[in-house]
Amino acid sequence: MTAYAIAHLQQFAPHPEVAEYIDRIGETFEPFGGQFLVHGTAHEVMEGRWPGHVVMIAFPDARLAHEWWDSPAYQDIAPLRSRHIDTDIVIVEGVAEGYDPRTTAQAVRNQLG
């Protein structure tokens, strides 16, 4: 099942290390089947607050996403970003083909008693 690394980059300030990180990140996830879905594009906040930028990278599965995150290649460049940008990052699995949200709604109802 496809998995996604999603980053919410807050309080971004241009810095030479950030530019180097951006130059190098693609080569770190390509061996794990990763590809950018969202990077450097505008977003529109529909509800609440979402300051900063969004990055999404798709991987064939969660195992490969974790292998990328833990890889020496990525861990080598991660400080180039983390020293200059406050970031929240998650790895999340997508839903299976044919997912029906009514199943989740029923699970919520079941928890209510």
Side-chain angles (χ1 to χ4, degrees):
M1 185 175 328
T2 303
Y4 305 91
I6 304 171
H8 178 202
L9 288 69
Q10 304 163 40
Q11 300 178 347
F12 172 79
H15 190 280
E17 286 189 340
V18 173
E20 181 180 350
Y21 173 85
I22 294 168
D23 276 339
R24 295 174 56 191
I25 190 171
E27 65 193 33
T28 69
F29 61 65
E30 288 169 358
F32 301 95
Q35 63 178 1
F36 278 118
L37 298 180
V38 176
H39 189 246
T41 56
H43 67 274
E44 182 179 355
V45 178
M46 304 305 289
E47 186 174 325
R49 291 182 11 94
W50 194 288
H53 303 277
V54 178
V55 175
M56 287 183 64
I57 304 168
F59 291 88
D61 58 41
R63 178 186 57 82
L64 287 167
H66 282 93
E67 287 179 10
W68 160 72
W69 179 263
D70 294 333
S71 71
Y74 183 70
Q75 290 302 310
D76 182 51
I77 69 165
L80 299 174
R81 171 194 44 78
S82 64
R83 283 194 287 257
H84 306 286
I85 305 172
D86 292 334
T87 310
D88 296 315
I89 300 173
V90 298
I91 293 176
V92 60
E93 288 185 339
V95 297
E97 190 171 329
Y99 169 76
D100 184 343
R102 292 174 292 189
T103 304
T104 302
Q106 187 58 50
V108 171
R109 288 183 188 95
N110 293 344
Q111 290 177 356
L112 294 173

